[in-house]
């Protein structure tokens, strides 16, 4: 996925140098507009009264010219009387025709000035009524130069020169290649995807495969997916081979595991495929049923690093062998089937609900496989990356890019800081209460069973309310401190005679996390009502606060390390420039 992929950047750089495929040269194209570049934000007035019931999306993909032709049939229900509405589509994909309920519109009834298609209805649509809009478009879609960090199409080739194509559009959104409502809550209830590609290329995509038709040297793949996350709709095209097996769930049912890999990679692909049931067992044990069991648990090898495309997660980690005994990228993207696809944030301001939980699943899985040392080691690596430049949640409507902005937004803290906050919360609540709260957040019920839940939207306040109820206490001060302010809480102590006095600083509201204290080798737990506590330590020689690192708190040595690392990088850049000039 775009955001988590930065953890693998050094590995990716090395792997690409020796990988079997190389990306095609990137032709210069006009930059997309600011509106197209950003996903989310305030829902526009021309979309807020639309219920997106069905998307029928047809694409014909032309690898040689790096172009597409699209035909979209979108069915909406009006939540209020409508005379106009809009959908989002990159203006680099010119529209040739629009029809509403079969009636072709004249050119003056629609316009796309900045990447949002405004459409005037032939007649008013009454509240509760349904209508269908058909949009035909074609062109050269925006090409991602460094997917998934920037969005668009990836036009690559395999070692023997065959097309290898993918889309990744998390940051910029679905409007880069289909007319959609580019908002987290803009999911269609059902989507039918028709992907037409030159034979014998294969096109794995979201949901379940309905059929494949072949005509005049073209294969058309028809996939159907229930309530797809908007940016998770994905095209994947290449000379794939497939591994398939059934997973027998602890919930008493079974579903298909599928992996599409490039020819020649079967040995590595088979090793990776062996991880699928192990990871599914972990998630179903700790969180709950795999949400999309009626479709498949699918993964496809892509020419970019990865992305959480619902039921067809993109994987391009070059079969890396990590020190924790599993493929972290594969596991992170699979985590998003629960945190991102089953549970979707209502607004990008709540993006931490996707990324903090998905990131925390890696140390949890390391603990599941290898025990506490592996868990602690992964968490400590995350702690070194926390920056605290902006609150993880602002309380205001945000675009996806606004959250990722390292200057104005929390950036990577929604991964690292959020995961460590969850580590702290788990230690405070205990496993039973912590995972009960997580399950209710993800499924909307504390007892999820296959068939009794559907994908849901949620937000930060909902999770806080769940935790308050499950814990039986008001945890608002905890979340205000970790989510709504940038700085971390600071733990301060001082000795007065034989008493150690401890207090929390830099906190918002009643922050009362208890603190473990190691006194000459003996462990004590100090209650901290209203953020203060004390312990009789006598003439103890060695005192250590929070010796097991259960609490996310301000630690100056991490900031010192970050400053030193930054200085070393700047020196290296200056040295390289000086060498180049000489």
């Amino acid at each position: 996925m775009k955001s988590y992929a930065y953890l693998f950047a050094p590995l990716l750089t090395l792997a690409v140098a020796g990988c079997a495929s190389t990306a095609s040269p990137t032709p210069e194209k006009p930059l997309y507009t600011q509106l197209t570049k950003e996903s989310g934000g305030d829902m526009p007035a021309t979309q807020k009264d639309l219920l997106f019931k069905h998307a029928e999306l047809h694409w014909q993909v032309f690898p040689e010219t790096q172009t597409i032709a699209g035909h979209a049939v979108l069915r909406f229900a009006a939540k209020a009387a409508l005379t106009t509405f809009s959908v989002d589509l990159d203006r680099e994909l010119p529209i040739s025709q629009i029809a509403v309920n079969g009636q072709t519109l004249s050119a003056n009834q629609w316009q796309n000035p900045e990447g949002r298609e405004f459409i005037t209805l032939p007649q008013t649509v009454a509240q509760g009524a349904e209508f269908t809009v058909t949009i035909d478009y074609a062109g050269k879609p925006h090409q991602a130069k460094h997917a998934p960090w920037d969005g668009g199409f990836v036009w690559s080739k395999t070692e023997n020169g065959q097309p290898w194509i993918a889309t990744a559009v998390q940051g910029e959104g679905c409007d880069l290649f289909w007319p959609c409502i580019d908002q987290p809550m803009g999911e269609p209830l059902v989507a039918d995807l028709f992907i037409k590609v030159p034979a014998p290329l294969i096109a794995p995509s979201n949901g379940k495969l309905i059929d494949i038709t072949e005509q005049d040297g073209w294969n058309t793949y028809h996939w159907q997916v229930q309530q797809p996350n908007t940016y998770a709709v994905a095209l994947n095209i290449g000379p794939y081979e497939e591994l398939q097996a059934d997973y027998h769930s602890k919930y008493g049912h079974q579903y298909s595991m599928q992996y599409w890999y490039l020819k020649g990679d079967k040995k590595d692909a088979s090793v990776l495929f062996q991880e699928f049931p192990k990871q599914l067992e972990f998630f179903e044990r700790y969180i709950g049923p795999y949400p999309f069991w009626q479709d498949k648990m699918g993964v496809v090898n892509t020419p970019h690093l990865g992305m959480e495309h619902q039921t067809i997660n993109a994987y391009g980690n070059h079969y890396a062998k990590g020190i924790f005994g599993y493929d972290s990228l594969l596991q992170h993207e699979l985590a998003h089937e629960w945190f991102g696809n089953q549970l979707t944030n209502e607004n990008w301001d709540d993006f931490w609900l996707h990324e903090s939980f998905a990131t925390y699943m890696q140390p949890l899985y390391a603990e599941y496989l290898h025990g506490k040392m592996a868990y602690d080691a992964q968490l400590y690596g995350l702690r070194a990356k926390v920056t605290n430049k902006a609150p993880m949640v602002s309380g205001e409507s945000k675009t996806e890019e606004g959250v990722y902005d390292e200057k104005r937004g929390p950036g990577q803290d929604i991964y690292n800081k959020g995961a460590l906050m969850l580590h702290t919360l788990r230690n405070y609540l205990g496993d039973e209460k912590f995972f009960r709260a997580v399950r209710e957040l993800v499924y909307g019920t504390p007892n999820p069973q296959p068939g009794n839940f559907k994908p849901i939207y949620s937000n930060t306040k909902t999770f806080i309310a769940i935790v308050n109820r499950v814990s039986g206490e008001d945890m608002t001060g905890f979340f205000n401190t970790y989510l709504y302010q940038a700085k971390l809480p600071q733990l301060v102590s001082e000795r007065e005679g034989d008493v150690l006095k401890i207090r929390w600083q830099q906190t918002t509201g009643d922050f009362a996390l208890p603190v473990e204290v190691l006194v000459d080798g003996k462990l004590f737990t100090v209650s901290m009502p209203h953020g203060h506590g004390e312990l009789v330590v006598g003439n103890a020689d060695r005192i250590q606060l929070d010796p097991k690192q259960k609490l996310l708190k301000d630690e100056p040595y991490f900031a010192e390390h970050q400053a030193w690392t930054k200085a070393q990088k700047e020196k290296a850049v200056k040295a390289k420039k000086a060498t180049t000039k000489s």
Side-chain angles (χ1 to χ4, degrees):
M1 88 168 281
K2 165 191 171 179
S3 36
Y4 188 70
Y6 80 101
L7 293 175
F8 299 86
L11 174 62
L12 179 65
T13 302
L14 294 173
V16 167
C19 71
S21 64
T22 56
S24 304
T26 304
E28 291 298 323
K29 279 183 58 61
L31 291 176
Y32 31 42
T33 66
Q34 190 65 29
L35 190 151
T36 300
K37 183 177 184 294
E38 294 191 337
S39 175
D42 292 326
M43 178 77 80
T46 48
Q47 293 178 354
K48 66 181 179 64
D49 290 327
L50 296 173
L51 173 61
F52 200 169
K53 301 200 73 172
H54 185 256
E56 180 185 312
L57 306 173
H58 299 255
W59 297 279
Q60 186 169 10
V61 181
F62 303 91
E64 294 303 315
T65 57
Q66 299 183 355
T67 57
I68 64 172
H71 173 76
V73 183
L74 313 177
R75 181 160 55 90
F76 299 103
K79 293 187 283 186
L82 296 175
T83 57
T84 62
F85 72 100
S86 69
V87 293
D88 299 302
L89 181 65
D90 187 1
R91 64 181 185 178
E92 293 300 310
L93 297 172
I95 294 172
S96 57
Q97 180 174 281
I98 295 180
V100 175
N101 293 335
Q103 180 179 343
T104 300
L105 302 185
S106 60
N108 64 1
Q109 290 178 288
W110 46 274
Q111 57 177 330
N112 186 0
E114 296 294 330
R116 178 163 292 146
E117 191 72 31
F118 294 94
I119 300 169
T120 301
L121 291 159
Q123 51 270 333
T124 299
V125 175
Q127 181 179 358
E130 294 186 7
F131 66 99
T132 298
V133 57
T134 303
I135 301 175
D136 292 297
Y137 62 98
K140 181 169 285 194
H142 191 83
Q143 183 164 340
K145 296 183 179 182
H146 192 37
W149 290 271
D150 67 329
F153 268 68
V154 180
W155 304 93
S156 187
K157 290 186 181 295
T158 63
E159 188 177 46
N160 62 1
Q162 295 187 71
W164 189 20
I165 303 163
T167 59
V169 298
Q170 184 189 53
E172 296 76 9
C174 47
D175 52 336
L176 284 188
F177 70 106
W178 62 282
C180 62
I181 297 177
D182 189 15
Q183 297 279 338
M185 295 183 69
E187 300 174 1
L189 300 182
V190 181
D192 283 278
L193 316 176
F194 296 83
I195 308 166
K196 190 173 184 179
V197 299
L201 296 179
I202 295 171
S205 193
N206 311 89
K208 64 177 65 176
L209 182 62
I210 304 301
D211 63 27
I212 306 170
T213 58
E214 183 174 358
Q215 184 177 7
D216 301 327
W218 291 84
N219 288 337
T220 300
Y221 288 79
H222 176 195
W223 298 87
Q224 186 178 82
V225 58
Q226 306 296 313
Q227 201 168 329
N229 201 330
T230 52
Y231 71 82
V233 172
L235 304 185
N236 304 280
I237 300 163
Y240 289 115
E241 294 183 340
E242 181 188 354
L243 292 169
Q244 189 278 333
D246 287 337
Y247 178 73
H248 297 272
S249 169
K250 69 187 291 289
Y251 290 92
H253 65 301
Q254 64 183 44
Y255 49 88
S256 178
M257 302 179 296
Q258 296 170 254
Y259 178 49
W260 285 267
Y261 63 94
L262 292 181
K263 293 179 180 179
D265 289 343
K266 186 171 184 178
K267 181 179 179 180
D268 287 334
S270 298
V271 173
L272 185 73
F273 192 63
Q274 291 173 13
E275 292 195 36
F276 286 23
K278 297 178 184 178
Q279 295 191 15
L280 285 168
E281 178 186 346
F282 161 79
F283 282 112
E284 291 204 335
R285 183 179 299 275
Y286 277 73
I287 311 302
Y290 174 67
F292 307 106
W293 58 275
Q294 292 177 306
D295 293 336
K296 65 180 182 300
M297 180 271 187
V299 180
V300 60
N301 191 202
T302 55
H304 64 85
L305 189 58
M307 183 60 68
E308 64 269 20
H309 295 149
Q310 188 169 313
T311 72
I312 190 68
N313 283 329
Y315 172 85
N317 202 29
H318 305 285
Y319 306 104
K321 304 298 180 186
I323 63 171
F324 296 102
Y326 71 97
D327 194 302
S328 292
L329 182 73
L330 176 71
Q331 206 266 0
H332 181 85
E333 304 306 350
L334 181 56
H336 278 303
E337 296 285 30
W338 285 263
F339 306 100
N341 296 335
Q342 164 61 27
L343 161 73
T344 301
N345 49 221
E346 293 180 355
N347 187 280
W348 287 118
D349 192 41
D350 301 304
F351 200 8
W352 76 274
L353 293 173
H354 293 198
E355 299 302 350
S356 298
F357 281 98
T359 301
Y360 186 51
M361 292 302 110
Q362 281 80 75
L364 264 182
Y365 188 53
E367 181 183 45
Y368 179 72
L369 293 176
H370 308 301
K372 193 67 165 55
M373 187 174 77
Y375 173 81
D376 290 339
Q378 283 214 300
L379 283 176
Y380 214 71
L382 298 180
R383 181 61 183 87
K385 298 181 175 71
V386 175
T387 61
N388 306 308
K389 291 180 180 178
M392 286 199 289
V393 182
S394 71
E396 300 175 354
S397 179
K398 290 283 189 180
T399 64
E400 193 266 5
E401 291 292 330
V403 175
Y404 268 125
D405 191 316
E406 294 288 351
K407 295 181 179 179
R408 297 182 295 117
Q412 301 300 330
D413 275 0
I414 63 173
Y415 297 78
N416 308 315
K417 183 177 180 179
L420 289 154
M421 180 197 72
L422 294 174
H423 160 73
T424 301
L425 182 63
R426 178 192 175 198
N427 278 303
Y428 180 71
L429 295 180
D431 280 6
E432 195 279 327
K433 290 182 178 179
F434 175 78
F435 288 109
R436 192 199 321 169
V438 173
R439 276 191 294 276
E440 188 169 339
L441 169 71
V442 170
Y443 298 99
T445 172
N447 184 33
Q449 298 290 327
N452 78 343
F453 62 86
K454 294 181 179 180
I456 63 172
Y457 301 107
S458 196
N459 57 43
T460 300
K461 291 181 179 179
T462 297
F463 183 60
I464 294 173
I466 291 171
V467 171
N468 286 346
R469 178 163 33 81
V470 169
S471 66
E473 59 184 285
D474 187 356
M475 298 283 292
T476 305
F478 175 94
F479 289 106
N480 283 347
T481 295
Y482 283 121
L483 292 177
Y484 291 95
Q485 69 176 28
K487 59 189 177 184
L488 285 172
Q490 186 179 58
L491 192 57
V492 178
S493 67
E494 55 192 5
R495 292 177 72 164
E496 292 185 3
D498 62 353
V499 176
L500 179 71
K501 294 191 174 182
I502 311 170
R503 67 181 183 276
W504 284 110
Q505 294 186 160
Q506 300 181 167
T507 61
T508 301
D510 192 2
F511 191 85
L513 286 182
V515 178
E516 289 185 346
V517 182
L518 192 65
V519 181
D520 285 345
K522 187 174 182 180
L523 189 66
F524 299 87
T525 299
V526 180
S527 297
M528 301 284 287
H530 308 296
H532 297 265
E534 55 185 50
L535 177 68
V536 176
V537 296
N539 60 353
D541 178 59
R542 169 70 170 159
I543 298 174
Q544 189 175 17
L545 303 181
D546 189 28
K548 297 181 181 180
Q549 293 287 298
K550 291 184 177 181
L551 307 171
L552 175 58
K553 56 190 181 299
D554 187 11
E555 302 277 14
Y557 65 91
F558 283 112
E560 291 168 3
H561 166 75
Q562 291 171 354
W564 179 85
T565 301
K566 181 180 179 181
Q568 300 311 302
K569 289 180 179 179
E570 291 173 350
K571 286 181 182 178
V573 170
K574 289 180 181 179
K576 185 176 181 179
K577 288 182 178 179
T579 303
T580 303
K581 288 181 179 180
S582 62

